[in-house]
Amino acid sequence: MENKIKPLDAFKMLFRTLTFTAYFMPVPDIENPVKKKWHRYYRIATVIILLIYDLQHITFVILVFGDVDRMIEGLSVLLTILNVTYKLITVNLNEKRFNKLHNVLEDDIFSAKCPKHEELMTKNKEELDGISKTINRTVTVIAVCWLLTPFLKKLSDEEVILPAYFPFPTDDWISFSCASIWITFVIIWVGYGHMTLNILIVGYYSQVKVQLSIVRYSLEHLADDDEGIPHEVFTCRNHGYKDNQSKLYQEKLVALIKRYDKAVWFSKEMESIMNKALLVQFSGSTGIVCTVVYKMTGVSNQYIIKNL
């Protein structure tokens, strides 16, 4: 039968976003050698920009050390960017290993063998596409709010803290606008690229789940033919054991064992690549939660004092 969907098809929308933000190697690979070369430069530039962004926030935190409010403002962004940078470097250093994962997804061993397999793969693709669209819309809304907030604060004569170091004063409107746009631009860029990369990692694990579901379904219907109809060898009308059918079931069983083994390898390989990055993300997220709780506590105290 002709396969209408392949496991790698579930990542098409994610790969487009990651290629655009230079957070991942282009999949499928760029055929034009010039475009391929420039995209590699683009990926290198992405890492350099993030490192500069990290340095700006680290410098800011060091300079305001002792001023808790300003440190919290700086750390709330710095912890996120450090996590993003580490994950991005991890991805770039393991490009060959990711290509091996993609080769497995394109291999016939993970392909759909019947309509039920296609149904499982299609459902997984739709779920990943839905998550991706939701996240991208959320990032867009947050980006607009992030960009407008410092300008609205400045217009209302409130103190505006730009949590990054700039080698020039940001008091006047021109320098303030340039600094705010720079901070927001990188955050938006990071938002689209990093969140899509997170969805991609989830998608890899969801592919393992799909393959295991296929193995389970196939074992439950091992005696079915291509149309889902049980063979006579497993019916009451036939108590014999036909050699040709025995070979057929053996071939099916061997294929399922190979599919299962490959799914287990895929999962372990993914864990081996990303386990440290995920640990860093978990630690960074914990720190971010702490900074947010601290800021919320400060806002609550100010509200209580004003209403006393």
Side-chain angles (χ1 to χ4, degrees):
M1 61 174 290
E2 182 181 354
N3 297 326
K4 297 181 180 179
I5 184 171
K6 294 182 179 180
L8 203 61
D9 293 341
F11 304 105
K12 284 184 177 180
M13 181 179 294
L14 302 177
F15 285 146
R16 282 198 298 268
T17 303
L18 290 171
T19 301
F20 177 75
T21 57
Y23 263 67
F24 205 70
M25 71 284 296
V27 181
D29 200 4
I30 300 174
E31 296 181 359
N32 188 313
V34 177
K35 291 183 178 180
K36 182 177 181 179
K37 180 180 179 181
W38 279 106
H39 191 272
R40 182 168 292 276
Y41 290 154
Y42 180 29
R43 288 171 58 193
I44 295 173
T46 301
V47 176
I48 294 174
I49 289 173
L50 284 180
L51 290 175
I52 294 173
Y53 203 69
D54 290 339
L55 185 60
Q56 281 186 278
H57 287 80
I58 292 172
T59 305
F60 175 83
V61 172
I62 294 174
L63 291 176
V64 300
F65 188 79
D67 188 336
V68 178
D69 291 334
R70 290 179 178 270
M71 285 182 63
I72 291 297
E73 288 287 343
L75 287 173
S76 61
V77 179
L78 175 61
L79 293 174
T80 302
I81 299 300
L82 288 176
N83 168 36
V84 173
T85 306
Y86 184 83
K87 191 178 293 183
L88 185 59
I89 292 174
T90 300
V91 169
N92 281 281
L93 292 178
N94 290 278
E95 181 174 346
K96 292 183 179 179
R97 297 178 71 180
F98 276 105
N99 285 331
K100 288 182 179 179
L101 294 178
H102 299 156
N103 290 336
V104 171
L105 293 176
E106 289 184 317
D107 192 85
D108 185 61
I109 195 171
F110 271 5
S111 63
K113 307 298 183 184
C114 68
K116 180 63 177 180
H117 296 177
E118 290 187 359
E119 178 185 335
L120 292 170
M121 292 184 183
T122 301
K123 181 180 178 181
N124 181 62
K125 181 181 184 301
E126 291 173 350
E127 289 176 351
L128 288 178
D129 288 347
I131 295 173
S132 179
K133 291 178 181 178
T134 302
I135 291 296
N136 286 339
R137 290 167 184 166
T138 303
V139 171
T140 301
V141 173
I142 293 175
V144 174
C145 296
W146 193 289
L147 178 62
L148 293 178
T149 298
F151 290 100
L152 294 176
K153 283 186 175 181
K154 193 169 182 64
L155 287 172
S156 60
D157 294 328
E158 292 185 31
E159 182 186 10
V160 182
I161 300 175
L162 297 178
Y165 168 76
F166 292 94
F168 53 84
T170 57
D171 299 328
D172 61 280
W173 271 101
I174 295 178
S175 58
F176 174 81
S177 300
C178 292
S180 297
I181 292 173
W182 163 253
I183 291 176
T184 306
F185 168 74
V186 178
I187 286 293
I188 296 172
W189 190 17
V190 166
Y192 284 115
H194 185 219
M195 295 307 297
T196 304
L197 184 59
N198 286 339
I199 299 172
L200 179 67
I201 295 172
V202 172
Y204 285 135
Y205 286 109
S206 71
Q207 275 298 327
V208 176
K209 180 181 177 181
V210 168
Q211 293 302 320
L212 294 179
S213 298
I214 288 175
V215 170
R216 177 178 178 177
Y217 174 84
S218 299
L219 285 173
E220 292 173 347
H221 298 80
L222 188 65
D224 296 358
D225 59 18
D226 293 337
E227 297 179 354
I229 302 174
H231 285 292
E232 289 186 358
V233 70
F234 284 107
T235 64
C236 296
R237 296 194 303 270
N238 190 339
H239 300 283
Y241 197 84
K242 299 181 179 179
D243 290 339
N244 59 337
Q245 290 177 333
S246 173
K247 292 179 181 179
L248 175 63
Y249 301 139
Q250 184 178 8
E251 291 174 358
K252 286 186 176 182
L253 189 59
V254 169
L256 290 176
I257 293 174
K258 289 182 178 179
R259 184 190 285 260
Y260 174 81
D261 288 341
K262 189 61 70 172
V264 172
W265 173 87
F266 190 96
S267 176
K268 290 182 178 179
E269 181 70 3
M270 192 62 216
E271 289 179 3
S272 175
I273 296 173
M274 298 302 299
N275 56 358
K276 292 182 180 179
L278 294 178
L279 177 61
V280 171
Q281 178 170 351
F282 177 78
S283 303
S285 299
T286 304
I288 293 170
V289 170
C290 293
T291 60
V292 171
V293 171
Y294 178 85
K295 291 170 68 175
M296 292 176 64
T297 304
V299 172
S300 300
N301 291 338
Q302 292 177 7
Y303 178 79
I304 293 172
I305 293 172
K306 287 181 180 179
N307 288 273
L308 285 177

